[in-house]
């Protein structure tokens, strides 16, 4: 009967249930313990784990889980099926507890609480938490004026991403807003890192990357703005103004309205003879980087 827990649970037991797990959601879903992968195999069980991880250390009600697992159209047996999925996850996440006859309500990783479940995730166990901690360090360093160190921290945060988040769930995919929210978080992190690079005087290094980002995300004005700043900072003012013309055309065609005030401010500043300043550490956004040409004395 010991094999009934499935291959994931057997592997986890083989490497020691006391080892802390690693949960990876910034790419295909993975669970690792002691360097060994013990990810649940059934798609619905993986989807349940993904939802619980994105609500880590918080109550996820059974009603919410049922609604999201079955896209608002649950079968009559949904509650019993959910309980079966939870039981399977418990065997995978802590196989020793089940073999010892432990109370499932006191499971050390996935507890029953009130009307739902809480997945206990410790510090450093979830790649999303690690990425956010490194991003917070980057923002702290940026505020302190160390743009080069901020860029390194942002790059380390981005290194946690292994591809499109939770890309492997197939027919059991999550509601779209989960992956959309995570992708927005990644793009904001890319924007922060590039801003720190520009602030650190590495504009030339990011021009090609920004051109690609503008092509992939044509309605994200923040990338167009950074491209203009990077081009101007490398002495390519005419190209920066051309970049604005392209951005304006794309935005107007895509939305029917003019670009936002930040993008327009950069264009007006460039037309007025201003140039980006790498001396204003921590101010890597919009026209705050623009100063009169020749006005800077150092830094």
């Amino acid at each position: 009967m010991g094999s009934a827990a499935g291959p994931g649970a057997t592997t986890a037991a083989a490497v020691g249930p006391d080892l802390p797990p690693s949960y990876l959601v910034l790419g295909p879903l993975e669970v690792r313990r002691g360097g060994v992968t013990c990810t649940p195999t059934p798609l619905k069980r993986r989807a349940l784990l993904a939802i619980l991880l994105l609500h880590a250390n918080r109550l996820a009600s059974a009603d919410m889980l049922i609604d999201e697992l079955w896209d608002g159209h649950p079968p009559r047996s949904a509650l019993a099926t959910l309980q079966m999925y939870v039981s399977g996850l418990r065997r995978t996440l802590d196989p020793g507890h089940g073999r010892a006859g432990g109370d499932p309500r006191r499971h050390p990783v996935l507890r029953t609480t009130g009307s739902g479940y809480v997945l206990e995730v410790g510090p450093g166990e979830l790649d999303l938490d690690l990425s956010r901690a490194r991003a917070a360090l980057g923002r702290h360093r940026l505020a302190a004026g160390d743009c080069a160190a901020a860029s390194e921290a942002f790059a380390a945060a981005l290194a946690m991403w292994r591809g499109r988040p939770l890309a492997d769930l197939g027919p059991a995919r999550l509601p779209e807003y989960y992956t959309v929210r995570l992708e927005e978080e990644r793009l904001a992190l890319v924007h922060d890192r590039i801003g720190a690079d520009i602030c650190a005087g590495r504009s030339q290094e990011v021009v090609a990357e920004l051109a690609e980002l503008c092509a992939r995300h044509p309605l994200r004005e923040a990338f167009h703005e950074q491209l203009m700043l990077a081009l101007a900072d490398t002495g390519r003012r005419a190209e920066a103004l051309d970049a604005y013309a392209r951005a304006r055309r794309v935005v107007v065609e895509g939305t029917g309205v003019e670009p936002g005030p930040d993008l327009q401010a950069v264009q007006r500043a460039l037309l007025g003879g201003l140039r980006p300043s790498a001396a204003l550490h921590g101010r890597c956004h919009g026209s705050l980087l623009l100063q009169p040409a020749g006005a800077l004395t150092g830094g």
Side-chain angles (χ1 to χ4, degrees):
M1 295 297 290
S3 62
T10 301
T11 303
V15 298
D18 293 333
L19 292 173
S22 294
Y23 301 107
L24 308 179
V25 297
L26 302 180
L29 176 67
E30 288 188 33
V31 181
R32 299 174 184 170
R33 184 179 279 110
V36 176
T37 299
C38 49
T39 313
T41 300
L43 285 173
K44 283 288 190 184
R45 198 178 298 175
R46 293 214 309 268
L48 171 61
L49 176 58
I51 296 171
L52 290 169
L53 285 169
L54 294 176
H55 292 82
N57 301 313
R58 293 175 289 156
L59 175 66
S61 72
D63 288 343
M64 181 273 288
L65 293 171
I66 288 170
D67 187 63
E68 299 202 344
L69 284 173
W70 283 280
D71 195 22
H73 302 285
R76 292 183 178 179
S77 61
L79 181 57
T81 304
L82 173 64
Q83 292 169 344
M84 180 181 69
Y85 292 160
V86 168
S87 179
L89 280 182
R90 283 174 170 151
R91 291 194 298 270
T92 298
L93 297 176
D94 192 81
H97 184 79
R99 286 198 306 273
D103 181 353
R105 300 181 68 87
R106 300 179 182 272
H107 192 275
V109 181
L110 180 52
R111 295 184 291 105
T112 300
T113 303
S115 60
Y117 306 95
V118 175
L119 179 63
E120 302 284 351
V121 175
E125 293 181 354
L126 178 62
D127 59 353
L128 179 59
D129 289 342
L130 289 172
S131 179
R132 287 172 174 170
R134 293 174 181 181
L137 175 62
R139 290 189 292 271
H140 175 75
R141 288 175 171 173
L142 196 62
D146 193 344
C147 294
S151 175
E152 292 178 2
F154 291 135
L158 285 166
M160 302 299 301
W161 296 70
R162 299 167 293 118
R164 187 165 62 87
L166 302 169
D168 61 319
L169 292 177
R173 61 185 179 274
L174 301 177
E176 187 179 14
Y177 52 77
Y178 282 122
T179 52
V180 168
R181 183 181 67 188
L182 289 172
E183 179 63 9
E184 286 292 318
E185 187 169 336
R186 185 188 71 82
L187 290 174
L189 189 51
V190 171
H191 179 267
D192 288 342
R193 197 219 80 227
I194 291 175
D197 281 336
I198 294 173
C199 193
R202 295 200 286 261
S203 294
Q204 183 62 51
E205 299 174 24
V206 298
V207 167
E209 180 183 6
L210 281 166
E212 181 180 346
L213 287 166
C214 289
R216 289 188 175 186
H217 309 281
L219 297 181
R220 297 188 76 93
E221 295 186 20
F223 288 140
H224 292 289
E225 184 182 343
Q226 286 184 324
L227 177 59
M228 292 174 66
L229 292 169
L231 286 168
D233 192 34
T234 56
R236 298 156 70 178
R237 178 173 169 274
E239 291 180 59
L241 290 170
D242 286 343
Y244 174 81
R246 290 193 302 273
R248 179 186 178 278
R249 183 171 60 252
V250 167
V251 171
V252 170
E253 289 177 355
T255 67
V257 298
E258 292 290 327
D262 288 342
L263 195 57
Q264 292 189 44
V266 177
Q267 186 230 15
R268 287 195 302 270
L270 291 174
L271 288 172
L274 304 185
R275 71 178 179 85
S277 163
L280 296 177
H281 294 289
R283 296 183 175 184
C284 299
H285 182 71
S287 56
L288 289 174
L289 280 174
L290 295 166
Q291 292 292 306
L296 302 177
T297 58

